[in-house]
Amino acid sequence: MNNNGLAKNIIDLVGGTDNIGRAAHCMTRLRLNIKDADKVEIDALKGVEGVMGVVESDTLQIVVGPGRAKKVYDIVVEDFGVTVGGDVSSWEDNKATLKSGQKESKLKTGLKTISNIFIPLIPAIIAAGLFSGLASLIGQTIAPTEGFWFLILKMFQLFSGAFLSYFAIFTGINSAKVFGGTEALGGMIGAMSIMPLIVDISTFFGLYNADVPLNSVLTTGKGGIIGVIFGVWIMSMIERRVRKMVPDVLDLIVTPLVTLTLTGIIFVLGVMPIAGFLSDGLVSFLNIFISSTNPVVSILSGFILSALFLPMVLLGLHHGLIPIYAVQLEQLGGVSLFPVLAMAGAGQVGAAIALYIKAKRRKNERLQKTIIGALPAGFLGVGEPLIYGVTLPLGKPFITAGIGAGFGGAWVMLTGVMAGAWGPSGLVAIPLMQSPQMMLNFFIGLVISYVAGFIITMIFIKDDLVENN
């Protein structure tokens, strides 16, 4: 049955458009707010070709599969004139319920604020990382010095550098937007941090180490994006206070001049050296675990990080990882933490496949259809439907999935996989790895997580758990 026929059958069997208050969709389901439940022919609806399941809750949830839900939703709204209700789903309800029960601490609020700075940059981070990876691949396999491939290599390096070389400026602009400052001034703070003139200023104050520039108290790029974020926060506070004191007629001239003068002095001579010390310390600390030459340390750290990542997500602490990714990308030229943590979603996939088998044994069709609908997204790195719709509501499978992910994380850490960017996990993240060998090892890590999550869930989760869920 085509999508138009499916939409029409659904509309007819729920009592017509007059019985629908609003419509919404998620990745796998069409959700309808029903006015009179007695008019809905549930049994007939379940028997419609293309309907994989029906869930009755506050809204009527009709499972039609990944990709198709949006198409059917569009027909329901555009052709039948049903009111739009927003993109929500059962797993999103579970997620919202869980989050609503958590207290929003100052730490979580701060981490979310930092996360909001980087979220708009993710498309550029991914694109730049892919171009950097492609350039590296061409350079390692072909090593052109002239001709067509030389041109392609330089073009890819140009595309990548257009973002990565000016990461601090983009960070400054977005920081100002989040903190309520003028975005252009925030970009200027970011630009200050990467200008060569910083070396002249550092030399004047005796803070520059000419023998080992990276050991300087102050040098170009010192403090990185951590310093830029903190500098723009200070700038935003100063700007607001100056603007209150300056007459409106002089605001356009005086406010930016005074703001940048005060912030620039504080930023260059105070924030950059302090932030440089902190970011250098953070990278050195991470390197103890991430870049250890001891295979035992690598295996243990990879296992623990992957296994505990999703609990961190539930607690809202994962937002704090984004600036760590950025620091690694800026200082090391790649991100080693992201590939390890990406294994967490793969463990969920393996556990879900095991749960599907158990649900099939116990004839739990609802759970089977939920898993089938969520698995494609899980393979592609979108783990929320599996987490909030399958493993977390069941409880123990969430734990076995995490343990399974740990084995994949151990492999990825042991083999030194590094990404050129961060973004979606799962199979779509393979091109983000920095070399063909790293791509292969990342894929092997995913397979290990799939298999381990499956085996551990099969062994330790009893079939009874899925019987009535």
Side-chain angles (χ1 to χ4, degrees):
M1 182 180 297
N2 61 30
N3 293 327
N4 287 295
L6 178 58
K8 184 178 186 307
N9 279 338
I10 290 174
I11 293 293
D12 291 341
L13 293 173
V14 299
T17 55
D18 292 339
N19 198 36
I20 303 174
R22 59 185 176 86
H25 74 92
C26 69
M27 190 170 295
T28 61
R29 303 182 182 198
L30 173 69
R31 294 194 61 188
L32 303 176
N33 182 270
I34 301 299
K35 297 177 182 178
D36 186 354
D38 292 337
K39 294 182 179 179
V40 179
E41 301 177 47
I42 294 293
D43 292 336
L45 190 59
K46 290 180 179 179
V48 172
E49 179 186 348
V51 173
M52 302 164 62
V54 178
V55 180
E56 299 177 75
S57 60
D58 293 338
T59 57
L60 186 66
Q61 304 168 34
I62 304 165
V63 183
V64 294
R68 198 173 193 185
K70 176 63 167 63
K71 296 176 181 177
V72 174
Y73 165 82
D74 287 341
I75 294 170
V76 167
V77 171
E78 295 171 9
D79 294 355
F80 291 92
V82 176
T83 303
V84 174
D87 292 352
V88 291
S89 66
S90 59
W91 64 265
E92 287 173 320
D93 289 341
N94 291 339
K95 177 179 179 180
T97 301
L98 179 68
K99 295 296 184 183
S100 66
Q102 297 179 354
K103 293 183 178 180
E104 197 72 7
S105 66
K106 291 183 178 180
L107 174 62
K108 289 183 184 178
T109 302
L111 293 177
K112 283 185 177 180
T113 299
I114 294 175
S115 177
N116 289 338
I117 294 171
F118 292 103
I119 286 175
L121 299 179
I122 287 178
I125 291 170
I126 293 174
L130 287 173
F131 282 123
S132 178
L134 290 170
S136 176
L137 182 63
I138 293 171
Q140 291 179 32
T141 57
I142 302 176
T145 57
E146 59 182 8
F148 174 77
W149 284 111
F150 178 78
L151 174 63
I152 296 299
L153 172 63
K154 293 304 175 184
M155 291 293 285
F156 284 171
Q157 289 175 338
L158 173 66
F159 299 160
S160 173
F163 176 80
L164 296 178
S165 298
Y166 304 102
F167 194 2
I169 298 176
F170 290 103
T171 301
I173 292 171
N174 271 17
S175 297
K177 186 174 183 179
V178 169
F179 295 136
T182 299
E183 295 172 32
L185 299 184
M188 290 179 68
I189 297 297
M192 288 179 195
S193 71
I194 59 175
M195 292 186 69
L197 285 170
I198 291 291
V199 173
D200 296 333
I201 296 171
S202 178
T203 301
F204 177 85
F205 286 101
L207 303 176
Y208 186 70
N209 185 337
D211 296 327
V212 188
L214 291 178
N215 290 342
S216 302
V217 175
L218 175 64
T219 187
T220 301
K222 197 72 173 179
I225 54 95
I226 293 179
V228 171
I229 292 172
F230 191 62
V232 175
W233 175 67
I234 293 173
M235 183 213 77
S236 300
M237 291 194 299
I238 291 175
E239 183 183 11
R240 284 194 292 271
R241 284 167 172 75
V242 171
R243 180 160 283 122
K244 288 180 179 179
M245 296 184 290
V246 174
D248 292 344
V249 69
L250 298 175
D251 178 67
L252 190 60
I253 298 174
V254 175
T255 299
L257 180 64
V258 174
T259 297
L260 283 176
T261 300
L262 295 176
T263 305
I265 294 171
I266 296 171
F267 176 64
V268 173
L269 300 180
V271 173
M272 285 183 66
I274 295 173
F277 175 78
L278 293 175
S279 60
D280 290 346
L282 175 61
V283 171
S284 297
F285 175 75
L286 290 173
N287 282 340
I288 295 174
F289 307 99
I290 295 173
S291 302
S292 175
T293 57
N294 187 326
V296 176
V297 173
S298 296
I299 290 171
L300 288 176
S301 59
F303 185 94
I304 293 170
L305 286 169
S306 297
L308 295 182
F309 176 61
L310 289 181
M312 288 179 63
V313 173
L314 296 183
L315 294 173
L317 300 178
H318 61 298
H319 298 290
L321 295 171
I322 294 179
I324 297 177
Y325 292 165
V327 168
Q328 280 201 311
L329 182 61
E330 190 175 44
Q331 293 200 12
L332 304 178
V335 184
S336 57
L337 191 57
F338 166 69
V340 174
L341 300 181
M343 297 298 110
Q348 297 290 318
V349 170
I353 294 173
L355 292 172
Y356 176 83
I357 293 174
K358 292 178 179 292
K360 191 172 184 179
R361 289 176 184 169
R362 295 292 178 157
K363 300 185 181 344
N364 187 336
E365 294 184 2
R366 186 200 64 78
L367 184 57
Q368 290 179 62
K369 290 175 181 177
T370 299
I371 293 172
I372 288 174
L375 268 177
F379 278 110
L380 297 178
V382 182
E384 288 184 310
L386 284 177
I387 296 168
Y388 293 102
V390 181
T391 60
L392 188 59
L394 292 174
K396 292 180 181 178
F398 182 75
I399 298 173
T400 60
I403 295 172
F407 289 96
W411 171 262
V412 169
M413 184 73 80
L414 180 65
T415 54
V417 176
M418 185 172 283
W422 68 90
S425 57
L427 296 173
V428 295
I430 293 175
L432 294 177
M433 304 306 121
Q434 289 190 318
S435 71
Q437 186 61 45
M438 290 181 182
M439 292 179 189
L440 176 60
N441 283 325
F442 181 80
F443 175 72
I444 292 173
L446 289 175
V447 173
I448 291 173
S449 297
Y450 295 151
V451 174
F454 174 83
I455 292 174
I456 295 171
T457 303
M458 287 296 292
I459 293 174
F460 292 100
I461 301 300
K462 296 180 179 179
D463 290 5
D464 294 348
L465 183 67
V466 303
E467 188 167 12
N468 298 313
N469 288 282

